[in-house]
Coordinates of all heavy atoms in Angstrom, one line a residue:
M125 N -11.9 -13.2 -13.7 CA -10.8 -12.5 -13.1 C -11.3 -11.7 -11.9 O -12.3 -11.0 -12.0 CB -10.2 -11.6 -14.2 CG -9.0 -10.8 -13.6 SD -8.3 -9.6 -14.8 CE -7.7 -10.7 -16.1
S126 N -10.6 -11.8 -10.8 CA -11.0 -11.1 -9.6 C -10.6 -9.6 -9.7 O -9.7 -9.3 -10.4 CB -10.3 -11.7 -8.4 OG -10.7 -13.0 -8.2
R127 N -11.4 -8.8 -9.1 CA -11.1 -7.3 -9.1 C -10.8 -7.0 -7.6 O -11.5 -7.3 -6.7 CB -12.3 -6.5 -9.5 CG -12.5 -6.7 -11.0 CD -13.8 -6.0 -11.5 NE -14.0 -4.6 -11.0 CZ -13.9 -3.5 -11.7 NH1 -13.6 -3.6 -13.0 NH2 -14.1 -2.4 -11.2
Y128 N -9.7 -6.3 -7.5 CA -9.2 -5.8 -6.2 C -9.3 -4.3 -6.2 O -9.1 -3.7 -7.3 CB -7.8 -6.3 -6.0 CG -7.6 -7.8 -5.9 CD1 -7.7 -8.6 -7.0 CD2 -7.4 -8.4 -4.6 CE1 -7.5 -9.9 -6.9 CE2 -7.3 -9.7 -4.5 CZ -7.3 -10.5 -5.7 OH -7.1 -11.9 -5.6
R129 N -9.5 -3.7 -5.1 CA -9.5 -2.2 -5.0 C -8.7 -1.7 -3.8 O -8.7 -2.3 -2.8 CB -11.0 -1.8 -4.8 CG -11.9 -2.1 -6.0 CD -13.3 -1.6 -5.8 NE -13.9 -2.2 -4.6 CZ -14.7 -1.6 -3.8 NH1 -15.1 -0.3 -4.0 NH2 -15.2 -2.2 -2.8
I130 N -8.0 -0.6 -4.1 CA -7.4 0.2 -3.0 C -8.1 1.5 -2.9 O -8.2 2.2 -3.9 CB -5.9 0.4 -3.4 CG1 -5.1 -0.9 -3.5 CG2 -5.2 1.3 -2.3 CD1 -3.7 -0.7 -4.0
I131 N -8.7 1.7 -1.7 CA -9.5 2.9 -1.5 C -8.7 3.8 -0.6 O -8.3 3.4 0.5 CB -10.9 2.6 -0.9 CG1 -11.6 1.7 -1.9 CG2 -11.7 3.9 -0.6 CD1 -12.8 1.0 -1.3
C132 N -8.5 5.1 -1.0 CA -7.8 6.1 -0.2 C -8.8 6.7 0.8 O -9.7 7.4 0.4 CB -7.2 7.2 -1.0 SG -6.0 6.5 -2.2
L133 N -8.7 6.3 2.1 CA -9.7 6.7 3.1 C -9.3 8.1 3.7 O -10.2 8.9 3.9 CB -9.7 5.7 4.3 CG -10.2 4.3 3.9 CD1 -10.1 3.4 5.2 CD2 -11.6 4.3 3.4
E134 N -8.0 8.3 3.9 CA -7.5 9.6 4.5 C -6.2 10.0 3.8 O -5.5 9.1 3.4 CB -7.3 9.4 6.0 CG -8.6 9.2 6.8 CD -8.4 9.1 8.3 OE1 -7.3 9.6 8.8 OE2 -9.2 8.5 8.9
G135 N -6.0 11.3 3.8 CA -4.7 11.8 3.2 C -5.0 12.6 2.0 O -6.2 12.8 1.6
E136 N -4.0 12.9 1.3 CA -4.1 13.8 0.1 C -4.9 13.2 -1.0 O -5.5 14.0 -1.8 CB -2.7 14.3 -0.4 CG -1.9 13.2 -0.9 CD -0.5 13.6 -1.2 OE1 0.3 13.6 -0.3 OE2 -0.2 14.0 -2.4
L137 N -5.0 11.9 -1.1 CA -5.8 11.3 -2.2 C -7.1 10.8 -1.7 O -7.7 9.9 -2.4 CB -4.9 10.2 -2.8 CG -3.6 10.6 -3.5 CD1 -2.9 9.4 -4.0 CD2 -3.9 11.6 -4.6
S138 N -7.6 11.2 -0.6 CA -8.8 10.8 0.0 C -10.0 10.7 -1.0 O -10.1 11.7 -1.7 CB -9.2 11.7 1.2 OG -10.4 11.2 1.8
G139 N -10.7 9.6 -1.0 CA -11.8 9.5 -1.9 C -11.5 8.8 -3.3 O -12.3 8.4 -4.0
N140 N -10.2 8.7 -3.6 CA -9.8 8.0 -4.8 C -9.7 6.5 -4.6 O -9.6 6.0 -3.5 CB -8.4 8.5 -5.2 CG -8.4 9.9 -5.8 OD1 -9.0 10.1 -6.8 ND2 -7.8 10.9 -5.1
E141 N -9.9 5.8 -5.7 CA -9.9 4.4 -5.7 C -9.1 3.9 -6.9 O -9.2 4.4 -8.0 CB -11.4 3.9 -5.9 CG -11.6 2.4 -5.8 CD -13.0 2.0 -5.9 OE1 -13.8 2.6 -5.1 OE2 -13.4 1.2 -6.7
I142 N -8.4 2.8 -6.7 CA -7.6 2.1 -7.7 C -8.1 0.7 -7.8 O -8.2 0.0 -6.8 CB -6.1 2.1 -7.3 CG1 -5.6 3.6 -7.1 CG2 -5.2 1.4 -8.3 CD1 -4.3 3.7 -6.4
V143 N -8.4 0.3 -9.1 CA -8.9 -1.0 -9.3 C -7.7 -1.8 -9.9 O -7.0 -1.4 -10.8 CB -10.1 -1.0 -10.3 CG1 -10.5 -2.5 -10.6 CG2 -11.2 -0.2 -9.7
L144 N -7.5 -3.0 -9.4 CA -6.4 -3.9 -9.8 C -6.9 -5.3 -10.2 O -7.9 -5.7 -9.7 CB -5.4 -4.1 -8.6 CG -4.8 -2.9 -8.0 CD1 -4.0 -3.4 -6.7 CD2 -3.8 -2.3 -8.9
A145 N -6.2 -5.9 -11.1 CA -6.5 -7.3 -11.5 C -5.6 -8.1 -10.6 O -4.6 -7.6 -10.1 CB -6.2 -7.5 -13.0
E146 N -5.9 -9.4 -10.5 CA -5.0 -10.3 -9.7 C -3.6 -10.2 -10.2 O -3.4 -10.2 -11.4 CB -5.6 -11.7 -9.7 CG -4.9 -12.6 -8.7 CD -5.7 -13.9 -8.6 OE1 -6.6 -14.0 -7.8 OE2 -5.3 -14.9 -9.3
N147 N -2.6 -10.2 -9.3 CA -1.2 -10.1 -9.6 C -0.7 -8.8 -10.0 O 0.4 -8.6 -10.3 CB -0.7 -11.2 -10.6 CG -1.0 -12.6 -10.0 OD1 -0.7 -12.9 -8.9 ND2 -1.5 -13.5 -10.9
E148 N -1.6 -7.8 -10.1 CA -1.2 -6.4 -10.5 C -0.7 -5.7 -9.2 O -1.2 -6.0 -8.1 CB -2.4 -5.6 -11.1 CG -2.0 -4.3 -11.7 CD -3.2 -3.7 -12.4 OE1 -4.3 -4.2 -12.4 OE2 -3.0 -2.5 -12.9
K149 N 0.3 -4.9 -9.4 CA 1.0 -4.2 -8.3 C 1.0 -2.7 -8.4 O 1.2 -2.2 -9.5 CB 2.4 -4.8 -8.2 CG 3.2 -4.4 -7.0 CD 4.6 -5.0 -7.1 CE 5.3 -5.0 -5.8 NZ 6.6 -5.8 -5.8
V150 N 0.8 -2.1 -7.3 CA 0.9 -0.6 -7.2 C 2.1 -0.3 -6.4 O 2.3 -0.9 -5.3 CB -0.4 0.0 -6.6 CG1 -0.2 1.5 -6.2 CG2 -1.6 -0.2 -7.4
L151 N 3.0 0.6 -6.8 CA 4.1 1.1 -6.1 C 3.8 2.4 -5.5 O 3.4 3.3 -6.2 CB 5.3 1.1 -7.0 CG 5.8 -0.2 -7.6 CD1 6.9 0.0 -8.6 CD2 6.2 -1.2 -6.5
V152 N 3.9 2.6 -4.2 CA 3.6 3.8 -3.5 C 4.9 4.5 -3.1 O 5.8 3.9 -2.5 CB 2.8 3.4 -2.2 CG1 2.4 4.7 -1.5 CG2 1.5 2.6 -2.6
G153 N 4.9 5.8 -3.3 CA 6.1 6.6 -2.9 C 5.9 8.0 -3.3 O 4.8 8.4 -3.7
R154 N 6.9 8.8 -3.1 CA 6.8 10.3 -3.4 C 7.5 10.7 -4.6 O 7.5 11.9 -5.0 CB 7.2 11.1 -2.2 CG 8.6 11.0 -1.7 CD 8.9 11.9 -0.6 NE 10.1 11.5 0.1 CZ 11.4 11.8 -0.4 NH1 11.5 12.6 -1.4 NH2 12.4 11.4 0.3
E155 N 8.1 9.7 -5.3 CA 8.8 10.1 -6.6 C 8.2 9.4 -7.8 O 8.1 8.1 -7.8 CB 10.3 9.7 -6.5 CG 11.1 10.2 -7.7 CD 12.6 10.0 -7.5 OE1 13.2 10.7 -6.7 OE2 13.1 9.1 -8.1
A156 N 7.7 10.1 -8.7 CA 6.9 9.6 -9.8 C 7.8 8.7 -10.7 O 7.2 7.8 -11.4 CB 6.3 10.7 -10.7
K157 N 9.1 8.8 -10.7 CA 10.0 7.9 -11.5 C 10.0 6.5 -10.9 O 10.3 5.6 -11.7 CB 11.4 8.5 -11.5 CG 11.5 9.8 -12.3 CD 12.9 10.3 -12.3 CE 13.0 11.6 -13.1 NZ 14.4 12.1 -13.1
Q158 N 9.7 6.4 -9.6 CA 9.7 5.1 -9.0 C 8.4 4.5 -8.6 O 8.2 3.3 -8.5 CB 10.6 5.1 -7.8 CG 12.0 5.4 -8.1 CD 12.9 5.4 -6.8 OE1 12.8 4.5 -6.0 NE2 13.8 6.4 -6.7
A159 N 7.4 5.4 -8.4 CA 6.1 5.0 -7.9 C 5.0 5.4 -8.9 O 5.1 6.3 -9.6 CB 5.8 5.6 -6.5
N160 N 3.9 4.6 -8.9 CA 2.8 5.0 -9.7 C 1.6 5.5 -8.8 O 0.6 5.9 -9.4 CB 2.4 3.9 -10.7 CG 2.2 2.5 -10.0 OD1 2.2 2.4 -8.8 ND2 2.1 1.5 -10.8
L161 N 1.7 5.4 -7.5 CA 0.8 6.0 -6.6 C 1.7 7.0 -5.8 O 2.4 6.6 -4.9 CB 0.1 5.1 -5.6 CG -0.8 5.7 -4.6 CD1 -1.9 6.5 -5.3 CD2 -1.5 4.6 -3.7
V162 N 1.6 8.3 -6.2 CA 2.6 9.3 -5.7 C 1.9 10.1 -4.6 O 0.8 10.7 -4.8 CB 3.1 10.2 -6.9 CG1 4.0 11.2 -6.3 CG2 3.8 9.3 -7.9
L163 N 2.6 10.2 -3.5 CA 2.2 11.0 -2.3 C 3.2 12.1 -2.0 O 4.4 11.8 -2.2 CB 1.9 10.1 -1.1 CG 0.9 9.0 -1.3 CD1 1.0 8.0 -0.2 CD2 -0.5 9.6 -1.5
R164 N 2.8 13.3 -1.6 CA 3.8 14.3 -1.4 C 4.3 14.4 0.1 O 5.2 15.1 0.4 CB 3.1 15.7 -1.6 CG 2.8 15.9 -3.1 CD 2.2 17.2 -3.3 NE 0.8 17.1 -2.6 CZ -0.2 17.9 -3.0 NH1 -0.1 18.7 -3.9 NH2 -1.3 17.7 -2.3
D165 N 3.8 13.6 0.9 CA 4.3 13.5 2.3 C 5.8 13.2 2.4 O 6.2 12.2 1.9 CB 3.5 12.4 3.1 CG 3.9 12.2 4.5 OD1 4.8 12.8 5.0 OD2 3.2 11.4 5.2
R166 N 6.5 14.2 2.9 CA 8.0 14.0 3.0 C 8.5 12.9 3.9 O 9.6 12.5 3.9 CB 8.6 15.4 3.4 CG 8.4 16.5 2.5 CD 8.8 16.3 1.1 NE 10.3 16.3 1.0 CZ 11.0 16.0 -0.1 NH1 10.3 15.7 -1.2 NH2 12.3 16.0 -0.1
T167 N 7.6 12.3 4.7 CA 8.0 11.2 5.5 C 7.8 9.9 4.8 O 8.1 8.8 5.4 CB 7.2 11.2 6.9 OG1 5.8 10.9 6.6 CG2 7.3 12.5 7.6
I168 N 7.4 9.9 3.6 CA 7.2 8.8 2.8 C 8.5 8.7 1.9 O 8.9 9.7 1.3 CB 5.9 8.8 1.9 CG1 4.7 8.7 2.9 CG2 5.9 7.7 0.8 CD1 3.4 8.8 2.2
S169 N 9.0 7.5 1.7 CA 10.2 7.3 0.9 C 9.9 7.5 -0.6 O 8.7 7.4 -1.0 CB 10.7 5.9 1.1 OG 11.1 5.7 2.4
R170 N 10.9 7.7 -1.4 CA 10.7 7.9 -2.8 C 10.0 6.6 -3.4 O 9.2 6.7 -4.2 CB 12.1 8.1 -3.5 CG 12.6 9.5 -3.3 CD 14.0 9.6 -3.8 NE 14.9 8.9 -2.9 CZ 16.2 8.9 -3.1 NH1 16.8 9.4 -4.2 NH2 17.0 8.3 -2.2
L171 N 10.4 5.5 -2.9 CA 9.7 4.2 -3.2 C 9.4 3.6 -1.8 O 10.3 3.0 -1.2 CB 10.5 3.3 -4.1 CG 9.8 1.9 -4.3 CD1 8.5 2.1 -5.0 CD2 10.7 1.0 -5.2
H172 N 8.2 3.7 -1.3 CA 7.9 3.3 0.1 C 7.5 1.9 0.2 O 8.0 1.2 1.0 CB 6.8 4.3 0.6 CG 6.8 4.3 2.1 ND1 7.6 5.1 2.8 CD2 6.0 3.6 3.0 CE1 7.3 4.9 4.1 NE2 6.3 4.0 4.2
C173 N 6.5 1.5 -0.7 CA 6.1 0.1 -0.6 C 5.4 -0.3 -1.9 O 5.0 0.5 -2.7 CB 5.1 -0.1 0.6 SG 3.5 0.8 0.4
G174 N 5.2 -1.6 -2.0 CA 4.4 -2.2 -3.1 C 3.2 -2.9 -2.5 O 3.3 -3.6 -1.5
I175 N 2.1 -2.7 -3.2 CA 0.9 -3.4 -2.8 C 0.4 -4.2 -4.0 O 0.1 -3.7 -5.0 CB -0.2 -2.5 -2.3 CG1 0.3 -1.6 -1.2 CG2 -1.5 -3.2 -2.0 CD1 -0.7 -0.5 -0.7
E176 N 0.4 -5.5 -3.8 CA 0.0 -6.4 -5.0 C -1.3 -7.2 -4.7 O -1.5 -7.7 -3.6 CB 1.1 -7.4 -5.2 CG 0.9 -8.4 -6.3 CD 1.9 -9.5 -6.4 OE1 3.0 -9.4 -5.7 OE2 1.8 -10.4 -7.2
A177 N -2.2 -7.2 -5.6 CA -3.4 -8.0 -5.5 C -2.9 -9.4 -5.7 O -2.5 -9.9 -6.8 CB -4.4 -7.6 -6.7
Y178 N -2.9 -10.2 -4.6 CA -2.3 -11.4 -4.5 C -3.1 -12.6 -5.1 O -3.0 -13.0 -6.2 CB -1.8 -11.7 -3.1 CG -0.9 -12.9 -2.9 CD1 0.2 -13.1 -3.7 CD2 -1.2 -13.8 -1.9 CE1 1.0 -14.2 -3.6 CE2 -0.4 -14.9 -1.7 CZ 0.7 -15.1 -2.5 OH 1.5 -16.2 -2.3
R179 N -4.0 -13.1 -4.2 CA -4.9 -14.2 -4.7 C -5.9 -14.4 -3.5 O -5.7 -14.1 -2.4 CB -4.2 -15.5 -5.0 CG -3.4 -16.1 -3.9 CD -2.9 -17.5 -4.3 NE -2.1 -18.0 -3.2 CZ -0.9 -18.5 -3.3 NH1 -0.3 -18.5 -4.4 NH2 -0.3 -19.0 -2.2
N180 N -7.0 -15.0 -3.9 CA -8.1 -15.3 -3.0 C -8.5 -14.1 -2.1 O -8.7 -14.2 -0.9 CB -7.7 -16.5 -2.1 CG -7.4 -17.7 -2.8 OD1 -8.1 -18.0 -3.8 ND2 -6.4 -18.5 -2.4
G181 N -8.5 -12.9 -2.7 CA -8.9 -11.7 -2.0 C -7.8 -11.2 -1.1 O -8.1 -10.3 -0.3
Q182 N -6.6 -11.7 -1.1 CA -5.5 -11.2 -0.3 C -4.6 -10.3 -1.0 O -4.6 -10.2 -2.2 CB -4.7 -12.4 0.2 CG -5.5 -13.4 1.0 CD -4.7 -14.6 1.4 OE1 -3.9 -15.1 0.6 NE2 -4.8 -15.0 2.7
Y183 N -3.8 -9.5 -0.2 CA -2.9 -8.6 -0.8 C -1.5 -8.9 -0.2 O -1.3 -9.4 0.9 CB -3.2 -7.2 -0.4 CG -4.4 -6.6 -1.1 CD1 -5.7 -7.0 -0.7 CD2 -4.3 -5.9 -2.2 CE1 -6.8 -6.5 -1.3 CE2 -5.4 -5.4 -2.9 CZ -6.7 -5.7 -2.5 OH -7.7 -5.2 -3.1
R184 N -0.5 -8.7 -1.0 CA 0.9 -8.9 -0.6 C 1.5 -7.5 -0.5 O 1.5 -6.7 -1.6 CB 1.7 -9.8 -1.6 CG 3.1 -10.0 -1.1 CD 3.9 -11.0 -1.9 NE 3.5 -11.2 -3.3 CZ 3.7 -12.3 -3.9 NH1 4.3 -13.4 -3.4 NH2 3.4 -12.4 -5.2
I185 N 2.0 -7.1 0.6 CA 2.6 -5.8 0.8 C 4.1 -6.0 1.1 O 4.5 -6.7 2.0 CB 2.0 -5.0 2.0 CG1 0.5 -4.9 1.8 CG2 2.7 -3.7 2.2 CD1 -0.2 -4.3 3.0
T186 N 4.9 -5.2 0.3 CA 6.4 -5.2 0.5 C 6.8 -3.9 0.9 O 6.5 -2.9 0.3 CB 7.1 -5.7 -0.8 OG1 6.7 -6.9 -1.2 CG2 8.6 -5.7 -0.6
N187 N 7.5 -3.8 2.0 CA 8.0 -2.5 2.6 C 9.4 -2.2 2.0 O 10.3 -2.9 2.4 CB 8.0 -2.5 4.1 CG 8.4 -1.2 4.7 OD1 8.8 -0.3 4.0 ND2 8.3 -1.1 6.0
Y188 N 9.5 -1.2 1.2 CA 10.8 -0.8 0.6 C 11.5 0.3 1.4 O 12.6 0.7 1.1 CB 10.7 -0.4 -0.8 CG 10.1 -1.4 -1.7 CD1 8.9 -1.2 -2.4 CD2 10.8 -2.6 -1.9 CE1 8.4 -2.2 -3.2 CE2 10.2 -3.6 -2.8 CZ 9.0 -3.4 -3.4 OH 8.5 -4.3 -4.3
S189 N 10.8 0.8 2.4 CA 11.3 2.0 3.1 C 12.1 1.6 4.3 O 12.3 0.4 4.6 CB 10.1 2.9 3.6 OG 9.5 2.2 4.8
A190 N 12.7 2.6 5.0 CA 13.5 2.4 6.2 C 12.7 2.4 7.5 O 13.2 2.2 8.5 CB 14.6 3.4 6.2
T191 N 11.4 2.7 7.3 CA 10.5 2.7 8.5 C 9.4 1.7 8.4 O 9.1 1.3 7.3 CB 9.9 4.1 8.7 OG1 9.1 4.4 7.5 CG2 11.0 5.2 8.9
A192 N 8.8 1.4 9.5 CA 7.7 0.4 9.5 C 6.4 1.0 8.9 O 6.2 2.2 8.9 CB 7.4 0.0 10.9
I193 N 5.6 0.1 8.3 CA 4.3 0.5 7.8 C 3.3 -0.2 8.8 O 3.5 -1.3 9.2 CB 4.1 -0.1 6.4 CG1 5.0 0.6 5.4 CG2 2.6 0.1 5.9 CD1 5.1 -0.1 4.0
I194 N 2.2 0.5 9.1 CA 1.3 0.0 10.1 C 0.0 -0.5 9.4 O -0.5 0.2 8.5 CB 0.8 1.1 11.1 CG1 2.1 1.8 11.7 CG2 -0.1 0.6 12.1 CD1 2.9 0.8 12.6
V195 N -0.4 -1.7 9.8 CA -1.7 -2.3 9.3 C -2.6 -2.0 10.4 O -2.2 -2.0 11.6 CB -1.6 -3.8 9.0 CG1 -2.9 -4.3 8.5 CG2 -0.5 -4.0 7.9
E196 N -3.9 -1.8 10.2 CA -4.9 -1.3 11.1 C -4.9 -2.0 12.5 O -5.2 -1.3 13.5 CB -6.3 -1.4 10.5 CG -6.8 -2.9 10.4 CD -8.2 -2.9 9.8 OE1 -9.1 -2.2 10.2 OE2 -8.4 -3.8 9.0
N197 N -4.5 -3.2 12.6 CA -4.5 -3.8 13.9 C -3.2 -3.6 14.7 O -2.9 -4.4 15.5 CB -4.9 -5.3 13.8 CG -3.8 -6.1 12.9 OD1 -2.9 -5.4 12.4 ND2 -4.1 -7.3 12.7
N198 N -2.5 -2.6 14.3 CA -1.2 -2.2 14.9 C -0.1 -3.2 14.6 O 0.9 -3.2 15.2 CB -1.3 -2.0 16.4 CG -2.1 -0.7 16.7 OD1 -2.1 0.3 16.0 ND2 -2.9 -0.8 17.8
R199 N -0.3 -4.0 13.6 CA 0.7 -4.9 13.1 C 1.7 -4.0 12.3 O 1.3 -3.2 11.5 CB 0.2 -6.0 12.2 CG 1.2 -6.9 11.6 CD 0.5 -7.9 10.7 NE 1.5 -8.7 10.1 CZ 1.3 -9.6 9.2 NH1 0.0 -9.8 8.8 NH2 2.2 -10.4 8.7
E200 N 3.0 -4.2 12.5 CA 4.0 -3.5 11.8 C 4.6 -4.3 10.7 O 4.9 -5.5 10.9 CB 5.1 -3.0 12.7 CG 4.7 -1.9 13.7 CD 5.9 -1.4 14.5 OE1 6.9 -2.0 14.5 OE2 5.7 -0.3 15.1
I201 N 4.8 -3.7 9.5 CA 5.5 -4.4 8.4 C 6.9 -3.7 8.4 O 7.0 -2.5 8.1 CB 4.8 -4.2 7.1 CG1 3.4 -4.7 7.2 CG2 5.6 -4.9 6.0 CD1 2.5 -4.4 6.0
M202 N 7.9 -4.4 8.8 CA 9.2 -3.8 9.0 C 9.9 -3.6 7.6 O 9.5 -4.2 6.6 CB 10.0 -4.8 9.9 CG 9.4 -5.0 11.3 SD 9.0 -3.5 12.1 CE 10.6 -2.8 12.5
P203 N 11.0 -2.8 7.6 CA 11.7 -2.6 6.3 C 12.2 -3.9 5.7 O 12.6 -4.9 6.4 CB 12.9 -1.8 6.8 CG 12.4 -1.0 8.0 CD 11.5 -2.0 8.7
N204 N 12.0 -4.0 4.4 CA 12.4 -5.2 3.6 C 11.6 -6.4 3.9 O 12.0 -7.5 3.5 CB 13.9 -5.5 3.8 CG 14.8 -4.4 3.3 OD1 14.6 -3.8 2.2 ND2 15.7 -3.9 4.2
E205 N 10.4 -6.3 4.6 CA 9.6 -7.4 4.9 C 8.4 -7.4 3.9 O 7.9 -6.4 3.5 CB 9.0 -7.2 6.3 CG 8.1 -8.4 6.8 CD 7.6 -8.2 8.2 OE1 7.7 -7.1 8.8 OE2 7.2 -9.3 8.7
T206 N 8.0 -8.6 3.6 CA 6.8 -8.8 2.7 C 5.8 -9.6 3.6 O 6.2 -10.7 4.1 CB 7.1 -9.6 1.4 OG1 8.1 -8.8 0.7 CG2 5.9 -9.8 0.6
V207 N 4.5 -9.2 3.6 CA 3.5 -9.9 4.3 C 2.3 -10.0 3.5 O 2.1 -9.2 2.5 CB 3.1 -9.2 5.7 CG1 4.3 -9.1 6.6 CG2 2.5 -7.8 5.4
I208 N 1.4 -10.9 3.8 CA 0.1 -11.1 3.1 C -0.9 -10.7 4.1 O -0.9 -11.2 5.3 CB 0.0 -12.6 2.6 CG1 1.1 -12.9 1.6 CG2 -1.4 -12.8 2.1 CD1 1.2 -14.3 1.2
V209 N -1.9 -9.8 3.6 CA -2.9 -9.4 4.5 C -4.3 -9.6 3.8 O -4.3 -9.7 2.6 CB -2.8 -7.9 4.8 CG1 -1.5 -7.6 5.6 CG2 -2.8 -7.0 3.6
P210 N -5.3 -9.8 4.6 CA -6.6 -10.0 3.9 C -7.3 -8.8 3.4 O -7.0 -7.7 3.8 CB -7.5 -10.6 5.1 CG -6.9 -10.0 6.3 CD -5.4 -9.8 6.0
A211 N -8.2 -8.9 2.5 CA -9.1 -7.8 2.0 C -9.8 -7.2 3.3 O -10.1 -7.9 4.2 CB -10.1 -8.3 1.0
G212 N -9.9 -5.9 3.2 CA -10.5 -5.2 4.3 C -9.5 -4.5 5.2 O -9.8 -3.7 6.0
S213 N -8.2 -4.9 5.1 CA -7.2 -4.3 5.9 C -7.0 -2.9 5.5 O -7.2 -2.5 4.4 CB -5.8 -5.1 5.6 OG -5.9 -6.4 6.1
V214 N -6.6 -2.1 6.6 CA -6.3 -0.7 6.4 C -4.8 -0.5 6.6 O -4.3 -0.9 7.7 CB -7.1 0.2 7.3 CG1 -6.7 1.7 7.2 CG2 -8.6 0.1 7.0
V215 N -4.1 0.1 5.7 CA -2.7 0.3 5.8 C -2.5 1.8 6.0 O -3.0 2.7 5.3 CB -2.0 -0.1 4.5 CG1 -0.5 0.1 4.6 CG2 -2.3 -1.6 4.2
V216 N -1.6 2.2 7.0 CA -1.3 3.5 7.3 C 0.2 3.8 6.9 O 1.1 3.1 7.3 CB -1.4 3.9 8.8 CG1 -1.1 5.3 9.1 CG2 -2.8 3.5 9.3
I217 N 0.3 4.8 6.0 CA 1.6 5.1 5.5 C 2.0 6.6 5.8 O 1.2 7.5 5.5 CB 1.6 4.9 3.9 CG1 1.3 3.5 3.6 CG2 3.0 5.3 3.3 CD1 1.1 3.2 2.2
G218 N 3.2 6.8 6.3 CA 3.7 8.2 6.6 C 3.1 8.8 7.8 O 2.1 8.4 8.3
R219 N 3.7 9.9 8.2 CA 3.3 10.6 9.4 C 2.0 11.4 9.2 O 1.3 11.8 10.1 CB 4.4 11.5 9.9 CG 5.5 10.7 10.6 CD 6.4 11.5 11.4 NE 7.5 10.7 11.8 CZ 8.8 11.0 11.6 NH1 9.1 12.1 10.9 NH2 9.8 10.2 12.0
A220 N 1.7 11.8 7.9 CA 0.5 12.5 7.6 C -0.7 11.7 7.7 O -1.8 12.2 7.6 CB 0.6 13.1 6.2
G221 N -0.5 10.4 7.9 CA -1.7 9.5 8.1 C -2.4 9.0 6.9 O -3.6 8.9 7.0
T222 N -1.8 8.9 5.8 CA -2.4 8.3 4.6 C -2.9 6.9 4.9 O -2.2 6.1 5.4 CB -1.5 8.3 3.4 OG1 -1.1 9.6 3.1 CG2 -2.2 7.7 2.2
K223 N -4.2 6.7 4.8 CA -4.8 5.4 5.1 C -5.4 4.9 3.8 O -6.2 5.5 3.1 CB -6.0 5.5 6.1 CG -5.5 5.8 7.5 CD -6.6 5.8 8.5 CE -6.0 6.1 9.9 NZ -7.1 6.0 10.9
L224 N -5.0 3.6 3.5 CA -5.5 2.9 2.3 C -6.2 1.7 2.7 O -5.6 0.9 3.5 CB -4.3 2.5 1.4 CG -3.3 3.7 1.0 CD1 -2.1 3.1 0.3 CD2 -4.0 4.7 0.1
Q225 N -7.4 1.5 2.3 CA -8.1 0.2 2.6 C -8.0 -0.7 1.4 O -8.3 -0.3 0.2 CB -9.6 0.5 2.9 CG -10.3 -0.8 3.3 CD -11.7 -0.5 3.9 OE1 -12.4 0.3 3.4 NE2 -12.1 -1.3 4.8
L226 N -7.7 -1.9 1.6 CA -7.5 -2.9 0.6 C -8.8 -3.7 0.5 O -9.2 -4.5 1.5 CB -6.3 -3.8 0.9 CG -5.0 -3.1 1.3 CD1 -3.9 -4.0 1.6 CD2 -4.6 -2.1 0.1
K227 N -9.6 -3.6 -0.5 CA -10.9 -4.3 -0.7 C -10.8 -5.4 -1.6 O -10.1 -5.4 -2.6 CB -11.9 -3.3 -1.1 CG -12.4 -2.3 -0.1 CD -13.4 -2.9 0.7 CE -14.2 -1.9 1.5 NZ -15.4 -2.3 2.1

């Protein structure tokens, strides 16, 4: 079974790491009733996005918010869009600059 990791590079959870199994999903947001990775940044939606350990070292990101999510190469994930990104990608969420690296 492959192991996937989400590493918090910057922001309130800086230095934390989440280990996922393939097909496991983390929901990111500011409300604990909807998300299991909770951030206090008020520019983040109650349920902002889902990050799923997809397959072959890739991740599937679904944007549930009304604003774009930025991937490190300035690619935008628009509202209601799902994209697949490779391991090593850095995702920027909210105006406080929370950065998550997908390993």
